[in-house]
Every structure is written in C-alpha cells, then in structure tokens.
Amino acid sequence: MPLPKTHLCSACSDDAAADPVLHEDLVVGAPLSMEDLTDAQRLDRFARKYAHDGCQVREVRRVPYDSLSGYAWSVRFTENS
C-alpha cells in the first residue's frame, strides 16, 4: 500500500527558512486502504513519506476533494533546514 511518489511541497527547497514552518499539503491518490488505518498509523505512514529534508508530520486528516474517491488527505508538517 505505497503512498504517492510525489507531493506538492513548497517548503522542501534550497531556499527554505531555517526555523520550523508549518505547511499543509493536499495528497490526492493515496490508497483507499488508508481509511482502514488508525490515526496513529496514518500519521506514521505519512511521516515516513515526509521524512526527507527534516520534514516532520504533525497532523493527517481526511478532507473533501473533487475526485473519483471524493476525498483527499490533508497533511500538516513542519520543515527544518
């Protein structure tokens, strides 16, 4: 049950700030089986995806989205350079 290979992360760039900054990504196309996980398990799954460049996931929640499944995942994370 792999997560999408990419995400829209404006913080993970060479000119990102040195202080932790809270960001929010909208992840569309995550497997439907993500719904079957507990909140802690979802947080862990996305945390591994965002572990690059010092990103640390703070919150994962399901949000309405105009797609085939009708929802997406909102991922709030901080990024430290």
Side-chain angles (χ1 to χ4, degrees), residues 9 11-14 16 49-56 78-81:
C9 180
C12 299
S13 63
D14 293 334
K49 181 69 180 169
Y50 283 74
H52 64 84
D53 296 335
C55 291
Q56 186 172 17
T78 56
E79 188 268 334
N80 293 310
S81 296

Side-chain angles (χ1 to χ4, degrees), residues 1-70:
M1 151 172 53
L3 292 175
K5 292 181 193 248
T6 60
H7 64 279
L8 305 174
C9 180
S10 59
C12 299
S13 63
D14 293 334
D15 59 346
D19 295 330
V21 178
L22 185 64
H23 297 273
E24 185 171 9
D25 277 352
L26 193 62
V27 178
V28 180
L32 291 176
S33 55
M34 291 293 284
E35 269 189 355
D36 297 333
L37 302 177
T38 65
D39 289 341
Q41 289 170 323
R42 272 193 293 275
L43 189 65
D44 182 59
R45 291 296 301 274
F46 280 102
R48 285 185 268 149
K49 181 69 180 169
Y50 283 74
H52 64 84
D53 296 335
C55 291
Q56 186 172 17
V57 174
R58 301 293 184 189
E59 177 187 35
V60 176
R61 61 187 168 86
R62 189 175 132 171
V63 295
Y65 187 77
D66 188 23
S67 68
L68 291 177
S69 64

